[in-house]
Amino acid sequence: LSEAALARMSSYRARDMANTAWSFARLKSVDLNLLEALAQKAMVKIRDCLPQELSNLAWAMATLQFLDAQLLDAIAAQAIAKIREFSVQHLANTVWAFATLGYLHRPLLAAISKEALARIADFEPQALTNT
C-alpha cells in the first residue's frame, strides 16, 4: 500500500495528501519513507489545504507520532491564516495534534484559543475535552 501511494505521490493534490496521511494513521501504519514523502509534498501543497485537510494532516502525524517541525510550522501558519474557516472539530483536532506531539506553537495556540472562546457555545463535549 505504501509503495502504491509513493508511486502516485507526484500527482497528489492537497486533499490526496491529507487523505493518504489520515488513512495510514487510521490503520496505525507507520512507514517512515511514506511519512517523509508526505511531509515534503505537504510543504509544496500546504497553501492549497482546506481547514479539514490541515487538521487531518496534523491529526495523522500526531497519531503516527511523526514530528516534522517544518511541516508543523507550515500547518500552523496556514491554520492561523484560515482559522475562521475551521469548524470546532478542526480546532479541537489541531490543538490535540500539536499537544500530542509536544510541539508548542504559541501563535497557533493563541489563534485557536481566541477562536474557540468566540465559539464556545458551538463545541460538543468531546471537542471541549480535546481543546
Side-chain angles (χ1 to χ4, degrees):
L1 199 53
S2 295
E3 290 176 17
L6 285 166
R8 291 186 174 93
M9 193 151 315
S10 63
S11 66
Y12 274 16
R13 298 167 297 162
R15 174 177 283 158
D16 302 324
M17 177 227 16
N19 287 344
T20 299
W22 181 88
S23 296
F24 276 82
R26 290 288 294 160
L27 293 171
K28 305 276 193 245
S29 177
V30 179
D31 180 319
L32 290 180
N33 289 334
L34 177 66
L35 292 172
E36 288 168 359
L38 282 168
Q40 288 177 1
K41 185 68 170 183
M43 295 298 293
V44 174
K45 298 287 187 181
I46 201 76
R47 288 196 171 136
D48 298 333
C49 285
L50 300 172
Q52 181 175 355
E53 293 157 355
L54 293 167
S55 175
N56 285 355
L57 186 57
W59 177 87
M61 296 304 166
T63 299
L64 296 173
Q65 289 295 297
F66 183 76
L67 196 158
D68 182 305
Q70 285 185 308
L71 176 59
L72 292 174
D73 287 341
I75 291 170
Q78 287 304 303
I80 291 166
K82 299 172 181 177
I83 200 76
R84 293 191 156 226
E85 300 170 40
F86 274 57
S87 72
V88 293
Q89 188 65 51
H90 300 146
L91 293 172
N93 289 352
T94 302
V95 78
W96 175 88
F98 276 72
T100 297
L101 287 169
Y103 194 76
L104 179 60
H105 192 285
R106 290 184 194 278
L108 176 62
L109 185 56
I112 288 175
S113 296
K114 182 179 178 182
E115 192 64 22
L117 284 172
R119 296 198 269 159
I120 196 75
D122 297 340
F123 278 81
E124 296 292 326
Q126 181 67 45
L128 279 172
T129 61
N130 291 345
T131 311

